[in-house]
Amino acid sequence: QVQLVQSGAEVKKPGASVKVSCKTSGYNFNKFGINWVRQAPGQGLEWMGWISTYNDNRNYAQNLQDRLVMTIDTSTSTAYMELRSLIPDDTAVYYCAREKSREAFCFEFWGQGTQVTVSS
Amino acid sequence: DIQMTQSPSSLSSFVGDRVTITCRASQGVGISNYLAWYQQKPGEVPKVLIYGASTLQSGVPSRFSGSGYGTEFTLTISSLQPEDVATYYCQKYNRAPLSFGGGTKVEI
């Protein structure tokens, strides 16, 4: 079965970077893009960006593109999200999510979420 | 960029009631039918209910339905059940940014 398993919770100081991993299994990694979504405490869902797993294209949310880097490792079927120059407002649960299909880019499969806390 | 606006932001209804949530895309060109609805229960990961504006995701109860095209969409729960207490989000996925609506919290 399709699984996305994320790395564990992180606590970072303002100005630091965080890198979250999303290890996938149960399907052909190269056939479906990976998105990252975050959710601040008590808030809604915010799309952060997308990375293609077949041609390495990326598309980042405009408000994050200066600090966000998405990468993939096809040898381990793992996607990574690195957010730099962290500020307290980056405190959130971060999710990776796999698109449903090439025809429907909604998010059918989700990781369990990774809590990132930014605090001095 | 097209913004997605949901209404209401919260609602409270009785078990068995019909509940309707609306999602509007900000620009006139619209998003065709590239619209999904998600359910997020407290402490859980979001789950896709509807995609293509009206296609029910496998395993989702038939009391959930979606409609709409272009700029106005609705999610309907035909008979609200206690397990439907959750926050519901719409999302456009025609092109980046794949924005979500602000969410509608449904209570009983």
Side-chain angles (χ1 to χ4, degrees):
Chain A
Q1 72 281 24
V2 174
Q3 285 193 307
L4 287 73
V5 179
Q6 299 181 221
S7 49
E10 303 262 14
V11 179
K12 297 291 183 181
K13 293 194 183 303
S17 298
V18 68
K19 190 170 185 176
V20 178
S21 66
C22 173
K23 182 166 177 57
T24 72
S25 61
Y27 71 98
N28 186 334
F29 182 71
N30 296 113
K31 285 194 178 294
F32 301 91
I34 294 289
N35 290 265
W36 290 87
V37 175
R38 70 179 180 178
Q39 186 169 36
Q43 302 301 308
L45 302 172
E46 179 186 10
W47 178 78
M48 300 176 67
W50 164 87
I51 183 166
S52 166
T53 56
Y54 37 93
N55 63 13
D56 218 27
N57 282 349
R58 297 162 178 82
N59 203 313
Y60 297 156
Q62 195 167 15
N63 64 320
L64 295 171
Q65 61 185 6
D66 292 339
R67 302 191 291 130
L68 182 59
V69 178
M70 294 182 184
T71 56
I72 57 172
D73 181 345
T74 55
S75 69
T76 60
S77 301
T78 302
Y80 298 90
M81 183 283 300
E82 182 177 18
L83 190 60
R84 301 167 176 169
S85 302
L86 291 167
I87 60 176
D89 282 352
D90 292 321
T91 295
V93 176
Y94 288 74
Y95 296 101
C96 59
R98 199 206 82 174
E99 62 197 20
K100 179 175 175 63
S101 69
R102 295 282 188 99
E103 294 75 37
F105 294 117
C106 59
F107 306 159
E108 183 175 15
F109 299 99
W110 295 67
Q112 82 276 20
T114 296
Q115 175 69 52
V116 174
T117 302
V118 182
S119 173
S120 54
Chain B
D1 293 340
I2 295 176
Q3 310 298 320
M4 306 304 291
T5 303
Q6 283 181 238
S7 60
S9 56
S10 66
L11 65 90
S12 183
S13 282
F14 295 95
V15 172
D17 278 358
R18 183 182 186 87
V19 168
T20 298
I21 299 168
T22 298
C23 177
R24 289 188 174 87
S26 63
Q27 294 182 9
V29 173
I31 60 171
S32 181
N33 67 335
Y34 295 106
L35 191 283
W37 289 97
Y38 298 85
Q39 175 193 64
Q40 186 179 31
K41 296 182 179 180
E44 295 187 7
V45 175
K47 167 187 163 183
V48 63
L49 299 175
I50 303 277
Y51 63 96
S54 61
T55 302
L56 196 66
Q57 171 73 359
S58 175
V60 174
S62 59
R63 63 180 179 275
F64 291 93
S65 64
S67 64
Y69 188 90
T71 60
E72 187 151 339
F73 303 87
T74 59
L75 172 70
T76 299
I77 308 173
S78 60
S79 176
L80 188 65
Q81 299 302 303
E83 60 266 33
D84 300 335
V85 168
T87 301
Y88 294 83
Y89 297 93
C90 63
Q91 182 205 24
K92 63 178 269 300
Y93 59 88
N94 60 319
R95 60 184 300 172
L98 306 187
S99 311
F100 291 91
T104 297
K105 186 174 183 179
V106 173
E107 296 175 318
I108 291 181

